[in-house]
Amino acid sequence: MNRLSKVCLQAILLSLLAACSGDNDETIEEAPLRPVRYMTVAPIEAGTMRTFSGLAKSGQESNLSFRVGGVIQSLPIEVGDQLKAGQLIAEIDPSQYQLEAQQAVANLSQAEATMRNAQANFERVKGLYENNNASRNDLDSARATAESSEAQVSAARKALELARLNVSYTRLKASEACGIADVLTELNENVSAGQTIVAVTCGDQLDVELAVPESMIALIKRDMNASVNFSAIPDKTFPAKVTEVGVASTTGATYPVTVALMENVEGLRSGLAAQVSFEFDMNGGETNYILPAVAVGEDVAGRYIFMVDSTQEKGVGQVRRQAVTTGNLTPKGLEIIEGVKEGDRVVIAGVNVVRDGFKVLID
């Protein structure tokens, strides 16, 4: 290539470079600013409400059974019946137990006759012994026989008492005024001792039983106040007080807790679904901050939020990432222990599309 050709080529390259340089001098259009929603942080009281599901039950619920077995010959009750104290609930055939009581009477009579004979013999041998007409062995033997016969009479009397008790156990009666919640047997059925015959509810007091998770059970104490709502009576809240707190977990790592209603209302009955609410002081009475859970992100560096700082441009803010320490998740949101203060503006919508340093539109 000659010298003239090289000069021409250089001139062409310079003109192309100049053209490219002119294109770069043009202003590149910036992406539009994104609007975000934010909230201003305000302190709230540390007291936090927790609600648990439960079931209402009568303050006194019992499963009644016979102390002896037999065939049911009378069952004059039905579910829903209201019983008075002493009213008959069920009766089993007493024939066997009446015969046993009669036999116990006969055994007692025989034992008493044997005792009288032994005592008379002892008195006779005692007199002979005092006149040197009987040996000491004869006296000791007569005394032992008399004492043994007395013990047999005592045992026979106890057996008669037991037999008569068994006769009385064939009649199952209400110990106090109560209602029949369930009947678990039928007429002419052969039942065993201890087998549940009926379930009864006694008294007007209603309790609510609920299961509390292990993370919260330490906060619940006896005599602690609570409030109860029933789906059957949605417009009324009943005050209640904790009466029992379980010390051993049940299924699902939960602990049983019982609260007693402080008032009785017509229409409430055992088995109704209930919602029991407690207010806990989670942080010893100190103020706390709560943010919506969607406002808090998490990555390998930990949990964070995005704050919005003001800029010199009106209606424009700048996003700043802020690490936070979180507490418990409450019905109102997620507790923030460290990382925010009153008056901070925190992004609550659009957390996934903003980055540290972004400019955004704010109201």
Side-chain angles (χ1 to χ4, degrees):
M1 183 181 294
N2 56 33
R3 182 177 182 82
L4 179 59
S5 299
K6 290 182 178 180
V7 171
C8 292
L9 179 61
Q10 290 176 353
I12 293 171
L13 292 174
L14 289 173
S15 63
L16 291 173
L17 289 174
C20 294
S21 177
D23 292 339
N24 289 339
D25 288 340
E26 295 179 1
T27 302
I28 298 175
E29 185 179 355
E30 295 183 358
L33 300 181
R34 293 178 177 271
V36 296
R37 291 178 55 196
Y38 67 88
M39 66 172 288
T40 302
V41 176
I44 64 168
E45 294 300 321
T48 303
M49 190 71 69
R50 294 286 194 275
T51 301
F52 306 95
S53 298
L55 284 177
K57 58 167 288 185
S58 175
Q60 300 179 33
E61 289 189 355
S62 303
N63 293 326
L64 303 185
S65 61
F66 287 105
R67 297 188 182 185
V68 294
V71 177
I72 295 181
Q73 69 173 18
S74 178
L75 192 65
I77 48 91
E78 295 180 352
V79 174
D81 286 352
Q82 296 297 318
L83 306 182
K84 299 178 180 179
Q87 186 172 340
L88 180 68
I89 296 175
E91 182 180 11
I92 62 176
D93 185 358
S95 301
Q96 174 185 346
Y97 302 101
Q98 290 172 345
L99 290 174
E100 290 175 354
Q102 292 172 6
Q103 171 140 23
V105 171
N107 291 339
L108 177 59
S109 297
Q110 182 179 1
E112 288 176 341
T114 302
M115 180 188 68
R116 288 193 295 270
N117 183 51
Q119 288 176 339
N121 183 61
F122 172 66
E123 293 297 330
R124 182 178 61 83
V125 173
K126 183 179 178 181
L128 292 174
Y129 176 76
E130 291 174 350
N131 293 323
N132 295 321
N133 292 321
S135 66
R136 182 59 183 262
N137 288 339
D138 294 336
L139 178 64
D140 292 342
S141 177
R143 180 186 292 113
T145 300
E147 292 175 350
S148 176
S149 64
E150 291 176 0
Q152 290 176 359
V153 168
S154 178
R157 286 174 178 164
K158 296 297 182 183
L160 177 58
E161 291 178 10
L162 179 59
R164 286 173 174 170
L165 277 176
N166 286 340
V167 173
S168 68
Y169 291 155
T170 60
R171 295 173 61 86
L172 183 63
K173 297 181 179 180
S175 59
E176 57 182 306
C178 57
I180 302 297
D182 197 6
V183 179
L184 303 174
T185 189
E186 298 289 342
L187 195 63
N188 297 322
E189 182 177 342
N190 190 3
V191 298
S192 58
Q195 178 180 338
T196 300
I197 306 301
V198 296
V200 298
T201 59
C202 305
D204 297 327
Q205 177 66 47
L206 268 185
D207 294 340
V208 177
E209 291 184 342
L210 57 145
V212 176
E214 58 185 6
S215 60
M216 302 297 299
I217 191 62
L219 300 175
I220 296 181
K221 310 295 183 183
R222 290 191 63 179
D223 297 327
M224 182 177 180
N225 292 325
S227 58
V228 181
N229 295 93
F230 295 95
S231 56
I233 309 178
D235 300 330
K236 185 170 179 60
T237 298
F238 299 89
K241 194 174 289 289
V242 176
T243 57
E244 298 177 8
V245 180
V247 296
S249 63
T250 56
T251 56
T254 59
Y255 290 77
V257 173
T258 301
V259 300
L261 298 183
M262 305 304 293
E263 60 182 87
N264 299 314
V265 175
E266 186 177 356
L268 292 181
R269 59 186 61 193
S270 182
L272 289 177
Q275 299 293 323
V276 183
S277 299
F278 300 92
E279 186 173 1
F280 300 107
D281 186 1
M282 306 294 290
N283 294 297
E286 299 179 358
T287 57
N288 204 356
Y289 303 99
I290 287 184
L291 296 177
V294 295
V296 181
E298 185 173 10
D299 57 18
V300 293
R303 293 186 174 179
Y304 62 90
I305 59 173
F306 286 116
M307 292 187 180
V308 180
D309 296 331
S310 299
T311 65
Q312 295 181 351
E313 302 177 61
K314 184 177 180 180
V316 177
Q318 187 169 20
V319 173
R320 173 170 55 89
R321 174 171 167 147
Q322 173 66 44
V324 293
T325 302
T326 59
N328 295 305
L329 181 64
T330 74
K332 298 179 181 179
L334 188 61
E335 293 177 340
I336 307 298
I337 300 175
E338 294 181 355
V340 296
K341 64 182 183 298
E342 184 177 358
D344 286 342
R345 296 183 295 184
V346 177
V347 176
I348 59 174
V351 177
N352 295 328
V353 296
V354 297
R355 296 292 182 270
D356 191 21
F358 273 22
K359 289 186 176 181
V360 294
L361 294 178
I362 58 177
D363 295 333

